[in-house]
Amino acid sequence: MSKDISRRSFLGIVGGAAAVAGLAACSGDEGGDAQGGGEGTARNVAVVCSSAGRNDGGFNQRAIEAAQAVGEENGWNVQVIEPTNGIPQALETLGADGYDLVFNMEYDFEALINGTGGADPLAQQFPDTTWVVFNDNPNKNDDGSVKFPNVVSVLFNVNEGAFLAGALSVLVNENSATLFGDGYNFTAPDAGGRAMGFIGGTNSNGIVVESYGFIEGINYEAEKLGVTYDYYAKYDAGFTDSAAGATVAGTYYDQGANIVFGCAGSVGDGITSKAKEVGKLAIQVDDDKDDQQPGYVLTTVLKSTGVPVQSICEALAADDMASIDNEMNYSVATGATGITDLSVISEYIQDTDTWETIKAEIEDLTGKVGTEITVVNAQIGETFDPATCPNVNIQ
């Protein structure tokens, strides 16, 4: 079964529990002595960071803050792990140390679900630990049944948010000459400027799901306008090299793209810097980064990891983990994903009438996506057929 989560408020929070750089302090003594809290039950919780690191400004950081906030309130031991010897060893150590709840932010499920080197799956070895993974559901048998009851898969329908970003990008691109004034250097649409770029960290379902949604959003508006867009994509940029992000984005901008979407952690910082340098636009992901380079970040496709982390931690505190399903889905309607309110970029718009028309179109699409408009979702095994997007030439 899957659960579509209703909208919840998520307060900006500052964590106070400890963080460690590697495995040496997995069960360390910082972050409280785990006395008291909740029903008086001591809990051990860990957040295992992806390669983007704990201070990535979004995906890892918001999960950490949420876990630390609930942990601090309940007197738990909350550890932040940036693995030095790989994800499998980090998870095995935490399981052996008896952690109650482990959030695995990295896209690496093999040891947990299937086992490696002839060993049993970690989820089987440590059945008293609840393991939470993100951006995919590897915990399903071929018939759709759940493999391990102690594994929770969290899925954000970022395909829907990316679709909105794609539709917005075409509308902005087609009207860039009137929307923006000095300080921008857009390639005119009819002079080679009908192109978009996408830079992803890895060729994984958690990344391509955003690219496919972006393509479908581009196609949706391009088809209505009777135009065709070129699409440049890279899926192995990693998550840490901002300079590489700037270099690849610069290539796409030189090829006529006016907007480049980065789904690659800190690599996206380089994309936004290059956008400002060349007078074009970028799209960011995860946490709201619209003010990172004000006026040059069109929007952010949101993935609020703090929302599910807070929900799961609160369930643990209430001794109500039975309320947490093995698959948790967060759609645009939940508020945990979608795009930003465009308030930052709005400050740089000079043609307000056209801008209001564009925003009205995006608001209308927001109400339709997921219902009237279905967007392919690679995270749940759906495949993307380029033939369904004839107005996008994938390069």
Side-chain angles (χ1 to χ4, degrees), residues 314-332:
E314 288 176 346
L316 180 64
D319 197 23
D320 188 28
M321 290 299 287
S323 68
I324 301 300
D325 217 332
N326 292 100
E327 182 178 305
M328 303 177 72
N329 288 286
Y330 290 82
S331 66
V332 164

Side-chain angles (χ1 to χ4, degrees), residues 87-97 122 125-126 131:
I87 294 297
Q89 182 173 332
L91 299 183
E92 183 175 4
T93 301
L94 292 166
D97 284 349
L122 296 177
Q125 292 184 49
F126 306 106
W131 308 91

Side-chain angles (χ1 to χ4, degrees), residues 62-214:
R62 297 300 167 247
I64 292 166
E65 290 172 349
Q68 288 178 335
V70 179
E72 185 174 356
E73 181 180 348
N74 290 281
W76 294 348
N77 168 44
V78 177
Q79 297 287 3
V80 179
I81 311 299
E82 293 183 287
T84 56
N85 295 308
I87 294 297
Q89 182 173 332
L91 299 183
E92 183 175 4
T93 301
L94 292 166
D97 284 349
Y99 270 67
D100 299 284
L101 178 60
V102 176
F103 296 96
N104 176 24
M105 310 305 293
E106 185 61 89
Y107 196 89
D108 185 341
F109 321 124
E110 188 66 17
L112 180 65
I113 302 299
N114 298 320
T116 56
D120 290 333
L122 296 177
Q124 179 181 331
Q125 292 184 49
F126 306 106
D128 294 331
T129 298
T130 297
W131 308 91
V132 183
V133 300
F134 292 79
N135 299 333
D136 205 344
N137 187 355
N139 191 39
K140 291 194 298 187
N141 294 303
D142 291 340
D143 62 1
S145 60
V146 173
K147 288 184 177 181
F148 300 106
N150 59 323
V151 174
V152 175
S153 298
V154 177
L155 304 177
F156 297 88
N157 291 0
V158 288
N159 53 315
E160 298 175 356
F163 175 92
L164 297 175
L168 174 66
S169 294
V170 170
L171 295 172
V172 166
N173 193 64
E174 294 295 325
N175 294 281
S176 57
T178 61
L179 288 173
F180 298 94
D182 295 339
Y184 296 90
N185 186 32
F186 298 110
T187 303
D190 58 0
R194 288 195 175 100
M196 300 288 177
F198 179 90
I199 301 174
T202 59
N203 189 8
S204 61
N205 286 344
I207 299 297
V208 299
V209 65
E210 303 221 33
S211 180
Y212 296 162
F214 191 49

Side-chain angles (χ1 to χ4, degrees), residues 160 260 303 361:
E160 298 175 356
V260 175
K303 183 191 291 182
E361 169 72 356

Side-chain angles (χ1 to χ4, degrees), residues 290-375:
D290 288 12
D291 62 356
Q292 187 178 64
Q293 298 288 351
Y296 298 95
V297 178
L298 176 59
T299 189
T300 302
V301 177
L302 301 169
K303 183 191 291 182
S304 300
T305 53
V307 176
V309 170
Q310 178 175 327
S311 297
I312 295 168
C313 286
E314 288 176 346
L316 180 64
D319 197 23
D320 188 28
M321 290 299 287
S323 68
I324 301 300
D325 217 332
N326 292 100
E327 182 178 305
M328 303 177 72
N329 288 286
Y330 290 82
S331 66
V332 164
T334 69
T337 187
I339 62 173
T340 55
D341 63 7
L342 306 177
S343 59
V344 176
I345 195 68
S346 291
E347 296 296 319
Y348 298 84
I349 299 294
Q350 62 179 13
D351 181 356
T352 56
D353 289 341
T354 299
W355 183 235
E356 290 303 317
T357 300
I358 291 172
K359 290 197 298 180
E361 169 72 356
I362 297 304
E363 183 176 358
D364 180 64
L365 292 179
T366 301
K368 293 178 178 178
V369 72
T371 53
E372 297 178 45
I373 299 173
T374 301
V375 185

